[in-house]
Amino acid sequence: MGNLSHDIEENISILQSVINSALDAVIVIDEGGVITEWNHQAEHIFGWNRDEVLGKLLSDKIIPSEDKSPLDKSIELFLASGDKLDRSKRRKIEVINEAGVKFPIELTTSPNKVNEKYFFSLFIRDLRETHKSVNLLKAINELALSLLGKTNLEEIAWVITQNTIELLGLEDCVIYILDHENNTLHQIAAYGPKSPDGKHIENEISLMVGQGIVGRAAATKRPVLVNDTSLDAAYVLDDHFRYSELAVPILYEGEVIGVIDTEHQQKNFYTKEHLYAFTTIANLTSSKINSAIQALKRQEVEKSLTESEERWQNLVENMPEALQISKNGKVLYMNPAGLKP
């Protein structure tokens, strides 16, 4: 008897592990709609942990109070008439999470009979994830189109921040560019509270490589995602305190040229989808940003040479001594002093 009990407990443990590893949310209810199982993905989608929902009515938790769920109707019909539920049929219904936010899901229901009682396994897919993927693809396409013909570094950076925050629905986005000579990251574009007019940064800050979450991303050449900045001693307060931060290095040929950073007031806000989006944007724009940086450096060198030439020209022209430059007997240049009789 002891071995049988142990085997049953072991089988239950194995089954729970399988359910918890499922990509979809899995919820099991009995004939009365009482929740008997709730996997990790259900916790992630709806916000309640398993202990908070077991023994509670499903309709009291995830069904909006003003709606009569199609799920309830189909189960009632099944129990009343013995009709089979189509296991392959996916229903689209609206549900709510712990915060009271409504959102769409896709649902498959599978009935199972145990000891003359029916249990219903619900397999749930959060349709917001599909929408996120569509929005990400749209954001990347829109960004690529918006960057066409752009060669100025600041203009490119402003386009990136504006497109990213608007198309991904974020609160804040800042681009830092690395000054290799000083090993310092400088803000050159921002969108959100940092730039109310979308054209100028208020109170620009600079960070040393290794300083803050942005500096850590540059130093490690890896993305840094912080779910609670109040627990991270490296967090640097900029315009407002925010709990979540995601910083992704912009790499060109394996070297850091900048960082794209975003913050949000909610804890645990950024997901793997945000990480993928920002990494994709950093990779997509790195070559264009590097070209703009190199062009800016060339302009600075040319400007410096021009200024140097002008200084020497002024010096020579103001010399009191006569100066003449000749080649093969021909006078190429003579300063004002040399022209005097």
Side-chain angles (χ1 to χ4, degrees):
M1 185 71 176
N3 288 337
L4 178 60
S5 176
H6 174 75
D7 290 344
I8 292 173
E9 289 178 359
E10 186 175 11
N11 287 339
I12 291 173
S13 178
I14 292 171
L15 289 172
Q16 284 181 333
S17 296
V18 171
I19 290 172
N20 282 328
S21 65
L23 295 177
D24 288 342
V26 180
I27 301 172
V28 180
I29 59 175
D30 64 15
E31 295 177 356
V34 174
I35 300 168
T36 62
E37 191 53 67
W38 183 274
N39 76 341
H40 290 333
Q41 191 63 14
E43 291 181 349
H44 173 70
I45 291 176
F46 293 103
W48 294 286
N49 62 46
R50 184 172 180 269
D51 292 338
E52 290 177 311
V53 297
L54 291 186
K56 306 289 176 53
L57 285 172
L58 181 70
S59 57
D60 288 345
K61 286 297 180 183
I62 72 168
I63 307 301
S65 58
E66 67 272 17
D67 295 339
K68 177 62 176 175
S69 170
L71 172 63
D72 291 342
K73 291 180 180 179
S74 61
I75 289 176
E76 288 173 4
L77 179 63
F78 173 83
L79 293 173
S81 64
D83 288 345
K84 290 185 178 181
L85 287 171
D86 187 349
R87 297 171 187 244
S88 64
K89 183 178 180 180
R90 289 188 175 272
R91 298 172 178 83
K92 290 183 180 179
I93 65 172
E94 193 172 64
V95 293
I96 56 173
N97 61 15
E98 184 186 23
V101 176
K102 293 183 181 181
F103 60 96
I105 64 167
E106 197 172 57
L107 171 74
T108 301
T109 307
S110 177
N112 298 282
K113 198 170 188 179
V114 180
N115 293 331
E116 302 303 316
K117 288 183 64 177
Y118 277 103
F119 290 85
F120 300 87
S121 301
L122 315 178
F123 301 92
I124 295 168
R125 183 163 299 168
D126 187 350
L127 292 180
R128 293 175 301 175
E129 298 302 314
T130 302
H131 296 160
K132 285 179 184 177
S133 298
V134 171
N135 288 340
L136 171 58
L137 182 60
K138 180 182 177 182
I140 291 171
N141 288 337
E142 289 284 343
L143 177 58
L145 289 173
S146 298
L147 288 172
L148 288 175
K150 303 291 189 299
T151 58
N152 178 273
L153 179 59
E154 289 195 3
E155 186 180 15
I156 290 169
W158 282 105
V159 168
I160 294 170
T161 56
Q162 180 174 351
N163 276 264
T164 300
I165 199 169
E166 288 182 349
L167 293 170
L168 295 181
L170 303 177
E171 290 183 348
D172 162 84
C173 184
V174 181
I175 297 285
Y176 292 78
I177 294 298
L178 177 61
D179 180 346
H180 288 85
E181 291 185 7
N182 300 316
N183 207 34
T184 306
L185 294 152
H186 301 286
Q187 294 179 338
I188 66 164
Y191 213 76
K194 186 77 178 176
S195 174
D197 64 358
K199 297 177 181 179
H200 306 91
I201 302 176
E202 291 188 348
N203 303 317
E204 293 180 25
I205 67 169
S206 298
L207 300 170
M208 296 295 295
V209 171
Q211 180 185 3
I213 294 166
V214 169
R216 189 190 307 165
T220 60
K221 299 182 181 181
R222 297 176 64 85
V224 178
L225 195 163
V226 178
N227 290 315
D228 186 352
T229 58
S230 67
L231 303 177
D232 195 315
Y235 177 69
V236 174
L237 179 64
D238 190 354
D239 56 339
H240 300 292
F241 176 83
R242 300 183 184 89
Y243 279 107
S244 296
E245 183 168 2
L246 172 61
V248 176
I250 303 170
L251 305 175
Y252 181 77
E253 295 184 348
E255 296 300 320
V256 176
I257 59 174
V259 174
I260 180 170
D261 180 70
T262 179
E263 296 184 31
H264 198 279
Q265 61 184 342
Q266 295 178 14
K267 293 180 182 179
N268 304 300
F269 176 78
Y270 296 109
T271 65
K272 60 183 180 180
E273 285 78 18
H274 290 114
L275 176 60
Y276 174 76
F278 273 76
T279 302
T280 301
I281 290 168
N283 293 337
L284 173 70
T285 59
S286 63
S287 178
K288 199 166 190 70
I289 290 173
N290 182 70
S291 295
I293 291 172
Q294 299 309 316
L296 187 60
K297 287 181 177 179
R298 286 193 298 270
Q299 290 172 10
E300 290 173 351
V301 169
E302 290 170 2
K303 181 181 178 182
S304 177
L305 288 173
T306 300
E307 289 175 351
S308 178
E309 181 183 11
E310 289 176 353
R311 284 196 301 271
W312 281 106
Q313 183 77 22
N314 290 331
L315 177 62
V316 170
E317 289 186 354
N318 290 302
M319 286 177 62
E321 297 86 5
L323 178 65
Q324 178 179 304
I325 299 174
S326 304
K327 182 178 181 181
N328 298 327
K330 293 182 178 180
V331 177
L332 299 179
Y333 173 80
M334 184 174 290
N335 70 343
L339 294 175
K340 290 180 181 180

